[in-house]
């Protein structure tokens, strides 16, 4: 992907939606992208009522919280009413949230999603596995904004986590517009069992980055094999990274999303934005 023409940002009723929208807006400005804000939450399930004749109780869906919608729409209007960024407001009204969001994401170059905050009750009308399901279901890259702090959208220092996998290759290719604008790009390879010398892998990725216009790359030793997720986050802190670029590993099994250990660790514990692709 040579350009970042369209960005889809997820909005909900949480206070962090404002941070996510500001981040997506600044990113759209930097890349001259069209920005679509999609308000997508799940109506709450009302208590099941017993039916006459001994039929099993049927749970019902309640209405979407109007305060959540009003708050998100006000954020959008304040942030973009005087902005030159091409922008659009969309919302879901009772549709299956994740499936519909995935369909909308198929025509976007990038999703901007929010890391789930397990302590924020205002976000409980978004499915707990929303980020993972959007990544695995759409095949589109996502930039996941952490639930704490005010991340910079400048993304001047980027850490690329590489493995010889389709997922890592997709992440690297789709993040090319951001990597070209970065002032520093750091590269680290995961330790692969039986892979031997990591130098050829580093050279291959370095050449790939060069073809995308990324000329200066600082290489690091392979990640510690026992706890690679924590090692990756520690390295990001050491180099002062504004962004991690990595593959998203996982699959669906009987309605359950099964994620790789590094993916799960980063999704849950990252305190900086993460660019992921499946």
């Amino acid at each position: 992907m040579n350009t970042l023409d369209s960005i889809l940002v997820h909005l909900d009723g949480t206070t962090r939606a404002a941070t996510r929208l500001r981040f997506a807006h600044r990113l759209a400005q930097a890349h001259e992208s069209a920005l679509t804000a999609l308000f997508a939450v799940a109506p709450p399930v009302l208590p099941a009522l017993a039916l006459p004749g001994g039929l099993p109780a049927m749970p019902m869906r309640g209405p979407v919280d109007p305060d959540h919608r009003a708050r998100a729409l006000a954020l959008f209007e304040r942030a973009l009413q005087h902005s030159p960024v091409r922008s659009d407001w969309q919302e879901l009204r009772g549709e299956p949230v994740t499936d519909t969001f995935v369909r909308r994401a198929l025509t976007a170059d990038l999703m901007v999603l929010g890391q789930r905050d397990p302590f924020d009750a205002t976000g409980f009308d978004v499915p707990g596995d929303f980020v993972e399901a959007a990544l695995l279901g759409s095949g589109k890259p996502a930039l996941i904004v952490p639930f704490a702090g005010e991340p910079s959208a400048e993304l001047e220092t980027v850490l690329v986590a590489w493995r010889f996998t389709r997922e890592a290759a997709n992440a690297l290719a789709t993040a090319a517009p951001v990597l070209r604008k970065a002032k520093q790009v750091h590269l680290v390879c995961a330790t692969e069992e039986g892979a031997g010398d990591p130098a050829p892998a580093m050279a291959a990725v370095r050449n790939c980055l060069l073809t995308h216009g990324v000329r200066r790359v600082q290489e690091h030793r392979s990640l510690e094999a026992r706890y690679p997720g924590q090692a990756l986050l520690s390295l990001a802190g050491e180099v002062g990274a504004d962004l991690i670029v990595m593959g998203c590993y996982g699959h669906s099994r009987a309605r359950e999303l099964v994620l790789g250990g590094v993916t799960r660790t980063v999704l849950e514990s990252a305190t900086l934005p993460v660019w992921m692709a499946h």
Side-chain angles (χ1 to χ4, degrees):
M1 184 169 64
N2 293 320
T3 59
L4 195 58
D5 294 325
S6 58
I7 297 174
L8 177 67
V9 57
H10 174 239
L11 295 186
D12 52 27
T14 63
T15 57
R16 291 299 294 176
T19 301
R20 194 155 62 246
L21 181 59
R22 284 193 297 271
F23 186 94
H25 181 209
R26 293 195 298 269
L27 195 65
Q29 286 178 312
H31 293 270
E32 299 182 349
S33 313
L35 178 62
T36 298
L38 179 53
F39 175 74
V41 299
V45 177
L46 300 177
L49 299 176
L51 298 178
L55 295 175
M58 296 293 291
M60 299 179 63
R61 289 283 184 181
V64 169
D65 190 325
D67 291 338
H68 285 193
R69 178 191 178 275
R71 185 182 307 142
L73 180 57
L75 287 173
F76 174 81
E77 292 175 341
R78 285 198 302 270
L80 296 165
Q81 60 182 342
H82 300 304
S83 172
V85 170
R86 292 167 293 154
S87 60
D88 182 35
W89 164 272
Q90 297 181 11
E91 59 185 272
L92 305 188
R93 293 182 176 273
E95 303 98 323
V97 173
T98 303
D99 292 346
T100 306
F101 190 92
V102 164
R103 286 197 295 273
R104 302 280 181 90
L106 292 176
T107 54
D109 290 329
L110 176 69
M111 303 178 288
V112 176
L113 310 176
Q115 181 188 43
R116 185 170 182 81
D117 183 353
F119 303 105
D120 185 358
T122 62
F124 289 177
D125 54 4
V126 175
D129 61 355
F130 178 78
V131 170
E132 299 94 314
L135 273 161
L136 298 182
S138 71
K140 291 291 185 172
L143 209 164
I144 301 141
V145 181
F147 65 73
E150 187 74 24
S152 169
E154 298 299 325
L155 307 180
E156 295 182 345
T157 302
V158 181
L159 173 61
V160 176
W162 176 257
R163 293 173 63 186
F164 272 108
T165 62
R166 178 196 66 187
E167 293 85 352
N170 286 342
L172 188 68
T174 57
V178 169
L179 292 169
R180 280 195 297 271
K181 285 181 174 289
K183 293 182 178 179
Q184 296 182 62
V185 174
H186 296 261
L187 172 64
V188 63
C189 288
T191 301
E192 302 287 351
E193 187 174 350
D197 185 6
M202 288 285 200
V205 181
R206 189 170 62 250
N207 290 336
C208 178
L209 288 168
L210 184 62
T211 64
H212 285 293
V214 183
R215 304 190 182 282
R216 295 183 179 179
V217 180
Q218 183 173 338
E219 300 174 9
H220 297 264
R221 57 180 172 75
S222 298
L223 293 174
E224 191 270 319
R226 190 174 181 186
Y227 300 108
Q230 291 297 339
L232 178 61
L233 295 176
S234 296
L235 179 59
E238 291 173 14
V239 303
D242 302 307
L243 177 72
I244 295 174
V245 173
M246 61 178 287
C248 172
Y249 303 93
H251 62 275
S252 298
R253 184 180 64 194
R255 297 185 180 181
E256 178 186 11
L257 294 180
V258 181
L259 298 182
V262 175
T263 301
R264 175 66 66 189
T265 297
V266 172
L267 282 176
E268 292 179 351
S269 305
T271 57
L272 74 162
V274 179
W275 184 296
M276 279 190 174
H278 180 62

